[in-house]
Amino acid sequence: MAIDEKFIIRLKNDISNAVLACFKENNIDYTRSKRTISNSSTVKSAALAEANTKFNDIIIALQNFLNKLVIEKKRKVQYSKELLEKINTKQLSQDVINKLEAFKRKFENGEEINSHLSRTVFNSKKLDYAFNIWSIKHLHLSESVPFSDKEMKKNRSGQLLFFIENNDTVFFVDVKNHPKGSGFTVFSLLQIIESNNWMSIIEMYPLNIEKAEIPIKNDDDIYMLAKNGVSTVYEVNGKYYSSLGITTSGSKTKYTLSLIYINKKIKILAKRPDIEYLCFKLTLDGRFGLIYCKEKNEIVSYILP
């Protein structure tokens, strides 16, 4: 069945423009990657090739931005054994301990927490390697300010809380002084997560192997692998683990899988007989958006998850 090329071009351009408008509204810096337009025989025109290239880049950038954020919802909080040990043995100052309690209440009450994130959240192309390879986020242990790049300059802190999350619970992994470079991909964080049986939460799963050659000698090795878009197996506390990993560009592999699914959904719609594309609405309300079409003189909408 023939694919309606004009349908795809209009829809993808509309989606791309809607995402760019979202970035502009939220003061998110976005610079399009310089990518070679495909000359594959499957691409029938330069217009379609351009729409595809722009669309693919923007969808990855959008996911890179959205997934850095912390959803405002009430959740339980668990401390790692190692963090509790630091608290009980007074390895942390009372000020830091008090701030941890304050953050615990914020999560439990579903309060805004994003103003404590790294300011790189406002750059959709800036990669957070600890998050992309291990799903570990970090917060500045500081006072709250409005969620904006300008205001967040005022609430930076010398101490960071590293944490992971799922739908129901936030897991406080460790508190560290603000590091640089490979200090964000420190292997001890992964060791703590493993010792607390939280590996499945970060989507890292055990491998049934006895021995493997691991190209990691120190934290700098982990950082350089991430910067070069290389995924690896990890030996943690005597066990081997792997995940979907990252792409050669350094973003999460799951973002690319999501992009493939969206492209497939659009292609399926473009093959439907007697379908006329009308418009697209970006919702980001648990769904990506809604595609409005006209079929048999009836307006219908299709969810893009």
Side-chain angles (χ1 to χ4, degrees), residues 8-22 54-55 58-59 62 262 266 277 279-282 288-291 304:
I8 293 178
I9 293 172
R10 287 184 59 203
L11 174 55
K12 288 193 171 182
N13 282 334
D14 280 358
I15 291 175
S16 296
N17 292 335
V19 174
L20 290 176
C22 175
K54 179 181 178 181
F55 175 79
I58 286 176
I59 295 300
L62 178 65
I262 291 173
I266 292 172
Y277 168 68
C279 63
F280 172 79
K281 181 180 180 182
L282 186 69
F288 180 73
L290 297 171
I291 303 169
L304 211 55

Side-chain angles (χ1 to χ4, degrees), residues 117-136:
L117 295 172
S118 168
R119 286 171 54 227
T120 59
V121 71
F122 292 99
N123 186 331
S124 65
K125 305 306 287 294
K126 191 75 173 180
L127 300 177
D128 182 335
Y129 294 122
F131 177 64
N132 282 357
I133 61 176
W134 297 332
S135 298
I136 300 174

Side-chain angles (χ1 to χ4, degrees), residues 23-132:
F23 283 161
K24 184 176 181 181
E25 181 181 347
N26 291 281
N27 295 312
I28 307 302
D29 182 39
Y30 168 80
T31 303
R32 186 177 170 192
S33 298
K34 294 180 179 179
R35 296 187 180 181
T36 303
I37 295 176
S38 172
N39 61 359
S40 167
S41 60
T42 60
V43 178
K44 297 181 180 179
S45 71
L48 179 56
E50 172 64 20
N52 284 336
T53 304
K54 179 181 178 181
F55 175 79
N56 293 347
D57 195 63
I58 286 176
I59 295 300
I60 296 294
L62 178 65
Q63 292 182 92
N64 187 46
F65 162 60
L66 291 177
N67 285 278
K68 290 177 184 176
L69 301 178
V70 179
I71 297 173
E72 296 176 29
K73 60 180 293 187
K74 293 182 179 181
R75 286 185 281 189
K76 297 178 291 185
V77 172
Q78 289 187 28
Y79 288 70
S80 70
K81 296 177 294 185
E82 291 77 2
L83 185 52
L84 286 174
E85 177 69 14
K86 281 187 175 183
I87 293 171
N88 294 333
T89 57
K90 306 298 183 183
Q91 295 179 51
L92 301 176
S93 69
Q94 191 59 49
D95 178 61
V96 168
I97 294 172
N98 291 343
K99 283 188 168 66
L100 286 174
E101 283 296 313
F103 275 70
K104 179 175 180 289
R105 289 191 294 271
K106 282 178 178 289
F107 278 115
E108 290 174 339
N109 294 330
E111 297 176 27
E112 190 279 327
I113 208 83
N114 288 313
S115 66
H116 297 274
L117 295 172
S118 168
R119 286 171 54 227
T120 59
V121 71
F122 292 99
N123 186 331
S124 65
K125 305 306 287 294
K126 191 75 173 180
L127 300 177
D128 182 335
Y129 294 122
F131 177 64
N132 282 357

